[in-house]
Amino acid sequence: MASTPDGQELPRFEILGPVRAWRGEAELDLGPAKQRAVLTVLLINANRPVPTAQIVDAVWQAEPPENGANVVQKYVAGLRRVLEPDRSPRSPGSLLALTDAGYQLSVGPERLDADVFHSQLQRAQAARAEGRLADASGLLQRALGLWRGSALAGLSGALFDATRDRLAESRATALESWAALEMERGHHAELIPRLAELVVQFPLREELRYLSMLALYRCGRQPEALAAFRDARQLLADEFGVEPSERLQELHRGILRAEPSLTAPEPPRPAVNGHWHQPPATRPPTAVLQPTVVPPAVLLPAMPLPAPPRSGRFPVWLASIIVGAIPLLTFGLTSWAVVGVLAFRYRSRMLGLVAAAFFALLVFFVVAMEMDGPAYAGGPWAGVGVLALLVAAVGGSAAGVLIIIRPPGRIPELSAAVELTQRVRREQARQLVNHHPSIARELHIGRPDLSRTFDDGGLVDINTAPETIIASLHGIGPDDARRIVADRYLRGPLASVDELVTRNLVHWSVARALGETLVAIPLG
């Protein structure tokens, strides 16, 4: 039993739900709401000093009390009476102490449920890496069983919201990891009801939808798996105007084609001679805890971008000559019609505006000729009208040729191809970081300042990248970069990108925005 130097049992704290504290089996009365909020700030920064001003900002936000320091001191005194009831009023606190840098709450090992949760996740990852799937699944279940609702329930404010979002993200990832493990163990039938609940709870987590579709398909419920994809596509289209990820679409195509690779792996079968026979392993549906490692020798090489597809019955050069000649041969009278047809063909609003401009030039020509009248065909307005028609003829011809040579919408296709290629390279680089950090360091992954033979997709290693590289990241300025470099020197390398937030180096929104770019390669 963990205890203080004077023999008192250390309290246990819970933040994965309403904030609560226990000593043994007895729940402690934490006092009024503001006192609970002060305790929560200290728990978020457990075992680290928190300046009084930071506590005031987190608890009272835009409406701090005039004597904030005194109010915080009053609530700290109340917490000390609850957490250390046998302490003399004049003796310094052993759990909640005042240091030169601020108030510090000492939380013993395994005495905060969030710490236990993350510890169980690490143990599950280690078990998964060793092939002990049942142990890994059990550890994840015990970790998820610590949750009693929304983290920090009832508390609002920037610090509490950021911590709640970070913990919720960890919980969702743990749920995906557990479901993936159960799929590997062949428990897809038992997973279907639970996955249906999780999809409703986390509608934007495509990994859960992926596992749900795969579980339905493996149970012979192909129509329901396809319906689940339609639901995902409809939700993403209605809410965000985007399509499902390529991975989800690939699973959808595989279900339509009934690809054999999607079937569940067969359990081991005894051979005729009495020895156990293990069939060839099939690739698991997903790999959340330990993705498939690609050996360095077969890593994705630099690949050329796919050429824009060409369509049509005529060659491009012939189509461009025809489209460019029509406005010239009609002296600009049909420029608006040519561009208008191309605007309709490519569904381009910009081309529609260009066609409207050419039509306006045609109308101006007719009006100008009418203003001078037949007797004054050579008047000043007629000259301006002819000039407008000449602009329409030349402009319509040039616009038609350019549109045929480079149709609108092709540039986004190329951008999407580039992003897809970079995403694949980043994923391969992350696999090396997670499972072969020594190789990742040799390949200079995350070091854009060094010469490299391997394209990592633009990753930046927060543990070794120089200050200038870190300062160039979006949302991180020179001052933040200096603090990050100094912190990793004084306190050691970061175990994960999330530690940027827990060490109070960057705001959680910045860490989330840079999640596709940053990695934390362990130093060996």
Side-chain angles (χ1 to χ4, degrees):
M1 180 184 69
S3 60
T4 61
D6 56 5
Q8 293 183 11
E9 180 181 359
L10 287 175
R12 293 180 291 107
F13 300 97
E14 297 178 351
I15 62 174
L16 302 180
V19 177
R20 303 165 72 182
W22 303 77
R23 179 172 285 106
E25 300 300 321
E27 182 177 359
L28 304 180
D29 183 3
L30 298 179
K34 293 297 184 185
Q35 185 166 297
R36 288 174 175 266
V38 170
L39 172 63
T40 305
V41 176
L42 297 172
L43 287 172
I44 293 174
N45 299 275
N47 301 313
R48 298 196 305 270
V50 186
T52 302
Q54 184 175 332
I55 298 175
V56 173
D57 290 342
V59 175
W60 286 273
Q61 302 172 68
E63 299 179 354
E66 295 182 0
N67 53 345
N70 293 336
V71 176
V72 170
Q73 184 180 13
K74 181 187 74 172
Y75 287 137
V76 167
L79 290 172
R80 282 172 171 163
R81 287 193 294 271
V82 174
L83 301 178
E84 303 175 81
D86 297 334
R87 181 186 65 89
S88 171
R90 297 186 177 276
S91 62
S94 59
L95 293 181
L96 183 48
L98 177 61
T99 68
D100 294 337
Y103 290 102
Q104 176 173 324
L105 177 62
S106 299
V107 177
E110 305 291 311
R111 308 305 286 180
L112 178 62
D113 58 353
D115 291 344
V116 178
F117 172 74
H118 287 106
S119 174
Q120 297 278 46
L121 297 188
Q122 293 175 357
R123 292 174 58 194
Q125 187 173 8
R128 172 66 183 88
E130 296 171 2
R132 296 182 288 113
L133 303 187
D135 293 342
S137 178
L139 288 167
L140 287 173
Q141 288 182 7
R142 285 193 289 274
L144 292 167
L146 297 171
W147 285 77
R148 297 167 290 100
S150 177
L152 310 181
L155 294 171
S156 61
L159 174 65
F160 304 132
D161 293 341
T163 304
R164 184 182 299 110
D165 291 344
R166 176 173 55 83
L167 291 172
E169 177 69 20
S170 298
R171 178 179 179 237
T173 302
L175 285 166
E176 292 171 347
S177 302
W178 168 77
L181 280 170
E182 291 299 295
M183 289 287 289
E184 285 192 63
R185 298 177 64 199
H187 298 166
H188 39 272
E190 298 87 340
L191 268 178
I192 290 177
R194 180 59 176 148
L195 284 172
E197 297 174 1
L198 293 176
V199 166
V200 173
Q201 187 176 358
F202 303 97
L204 300 182
R205 306 285 296 200
E206 288 199 355
E207 181 67 23
L208 294 174
R209 292 184 181 271
Y210 181 100
L211 295 172
S212 178
M213 290 172 56
L214 187 60
L216 288 168
Y217 176 73
R218 287 183 173 179
C219 290
R221 297 160 65 173
Q222 183 186 33
E224 294 177 67
L226 297 175
F229 178 80
R230 288 195 300 271
D231 291 343
R233 168 176 279 175
Q234 187 67 40
L235 173 68
L236 294 174
D238 291 346
E239 295 292 334
F240 307 103
V242 298
E243 286 289 311
S245 66
E246 179 61 29
R247 184 166 178 264
L248 206 61
Q249 295 188 51
E250 183 180 352
L251 175 61
H252 177 246
R253 292 189 292 267
I255 292 174
L256 288 172
R257 294 192 294 261
E259 292 183 353
S261 60
L262 297 181
T263 57
E266 297 182 7
R269 298 188 304 269
V272 177
N273 58 8
H275 296 286
W276 286 96
H277 169 68
Q278 174 69 43
T282 59
R283 183 178 179 178
T286 184
V288 178
L289 287 173
Q290 184 182 13
T292 303
V293 177
V294 181
V298 296
L299 289 172
L300 183 68
M303 61 180 66
L305 294 177
R310 299 293 186 183
S311 61
R313 302 175 63 180
F314 302 101
V316 174
W317 65 268
L318 180 57
S320 61
I321 290 176
I322 294 175
V323 172
I326 293 175
L328 294 176
L329 294 176
T330 59
F331 302 102
L333 297 175
T334 59
S335 294
W336 67 274
V338 170
V339 178
V341 170
L342 293 175
F344 179 79
R345 165 68 178 80
Y346 293 109
R347 301 292 193 274
S348 173
R349 181 177 301 178
M350 180 62 69
L351 293 182
L353 295 176
V354 174
F358 286 140
F359 185 77
L361 291 175
L362 176 61
V363 172
F364 179 78
F365 166 75
V366 174
V367 172
M369 298 301 292
E370 289 293 331
M371 290 178 66
D372 281 344
Y376 303 95
W381 283 108
V384 176
V386 172
L387 180 60
L389 198 62
L390 179 63
V391 171
V394 177
S397 176
V401 172
L402 290 175
I403 294 169
I404 293 299
I405 294 175
R406 180 169 289 184
R410 294 291 163 81
I411 297 301
E413 291 176 6
L414 293 178
S415 299
V418 172
E419 175 59 27
L420 177 60
T421 302
Q422 293 299 87
R423 191 161 56 241
V424 172
R425 288 168 177 165
R426 284 196 298 267
E427 178 59 29
Q428 291 181 339
R430 289 182 186 278
Q431 291 175 4
L432 287 175
V433 169
N434 292 335
H435 304 287
H436 298 284
S438 59
I439 297 177
R441 289 191 297 272
E442 291 177 5
L443 295 175
H444 294 163
I445 290 176
R447 294 299 303 272
D449 56 309
L450 301 177
S451 60
R452 294 172 297 173
T453 58
F454 172 70
D455 185 357
D456 60 11
L459 295 178
V460 173
D461 178 21
I462 201 66
N463 281 329
T464 57
E467 181 181 317
T468 54
I469 297 295
I470 297 176
S472 67
L473 298 173
H474 180 70
I476 297 182
D479 293 338
D480 295 328
R482 280 193 292 271
R483 290 196 301 114
I484 291 172
V485 172
D487 186 86
R488 76 189 186 192
Y489 175 76
L490 295 173
R491 302 169 61 182
L494 290 83
S496 67
V497 177
D498 288 341
E499 280 200 34
L500 287 172
V501 180
T502 58
R503 294 188 184 186
N504 294 322
L505 297 175
V506 299
H507 192 264
W508 67 270
S509 60
V510 175
R512 174 173 294 183
L514 296 174
E516 288 291 322
T517 304
L518 291 179
V519 291
I521 303 179
L523 301 181

